[in-house]
Each structure stands twice: as C-alpha cells, then as structure tokens.
Amino acid sequence: MQPGSDEELWREDCAPRRVLELFSTKWTSMILHTLHARHQGIARTGSLHRSLPGISKKMLIQTLRELEASGLVERHVQDTVPPAVSYALSPLGNLMVQPIEMIYAWARNNAGALDQLRERPTSRRKRSP
C-alpha cells in the first residue's frame, strides 16, 4: 500500500474506524452525552446513574473506567468519608461530545425515519402496538 493511496483510507487503524470503535460500546455515547447535556460536564457516580435509565451500576462503572483509560473523562475523588467520586469530561471528551451532539440532534429531528426501521433481533426497543 502506497502512502496517500485510497487503500490507506481503509486500514484497520484509519480515523473513521477508530472513532467507530470508540462508540461501538452501547453506553459510551450516552454517558458522554449525559455528562455534557444534563450535568454541565461533571457528575457524581450516583447522579449519573440516575440520569441513565437501563444501565446497571456495574456497566456504568465499567464504561466510566474505559472512558477514563482512553482519556475522555477524568475521575475525581474527594477526601471525604466516605470518599465522593465524580467524573468530568476531559478536554478530549469535550471535543468528542461535539459529533455525539450532532448525531443526537439529527436523531431527534428524524425520529419518524428511525421509527420506520425494522426491528433487529437484538434490539431492546419496545415497539408501540
């Protein structure tokens, strides 16, 4: 493959694949969106959990740890008894929220088109009768 060739655009580590990999887990975009839209970029674990119906506490913590490891959120532990833990969007997380917010706005504006999608066997979405 020659540098700058069309084939290079489709490599496994190309930018589009990396961003899709980042958002391939179910809760990643929802957590980043919720931190941004409902909590002004920072929230304690319990508050974030209450803002995300359907997520288990275990999945929330696991996803937050992955987001922290990738540099999208920062974990802050307050020196209290018991320790209070909050998560904040990092500068990189704030940058990644921009396309998420565009997708969410598109989804809200095109809910009718989304309603026309056929149900997937793995979907948890409840159809109206």
Side-chain angles (χ1 to χ4, degrees):
M1 184 180 318
Q2 306 235 345
S5 68
D6 287 341
E7 293 88 21
E8 192 170 286
L9 297 175
W10 301 102
R11 290 182 9 189
E12 284 189 49
D13 64 343
C14 68
R17 286 190 183 197
R18 286 184 287 152
V19 77
L20 290 175
E21 178 185 336
L22 177 66
F23 299 117
S24 66
T25 58
K26 178 178 180 178
W27 291 103
T28 299
S29 68
M30 286 295 297
I31 290 172
L32 293 174
H33 166 72
T34 302
L35 272 171
H36 171 76
R38 297 190 72 186
H39 299 284
Q40 294 73 47
I42 188 167
R44 291 186 54 184
T45 311
S47 178
L48 192 55
H49 187 239
R50 287 186 296 277
S51 298
L52 291 161
I55 191 171
S56 68
K57 189 132 186 164
K58 177 183 176 184
M59 181 55 68
L60 174 63
I61 297 300
Q62 179 181 327
T63 307
L64 285 167
R65 286 182 180 153
E66 289 172 4
L67 291 170
E68 181 185 11
S70 65
L72 295 171
V73 298
E74 297 166 345
R75 183 175 187 262
H76 301 278
V77 180
Q78 296 170 350
D79 195 19
T80 59
V81 178
V85 178
S86 62
Y87 289 88
L89 290 171
S90 68
L92 181 60
N94 277 307
L95 183 64
M96 293 295 181
V97 162
Q98 295 171 15
I100 292 170
E101 293 305 313
M102 290 181 350
I103 291 169
Y104 279 45
W106 181 92
R108 284 188 290 274
N109 292 332
N110 293 280
L114 293 169
D115 290 341
Q116 294 176 28
L117 289 172
R118 293 187 184 130
E119 189 171 333
R120 296 179 316 180
T122 58
S123 178
R124 293 181 141 195
R125 182 172 173 248
K126 306 289 186 230
R127 287 244 183 224
S128 304

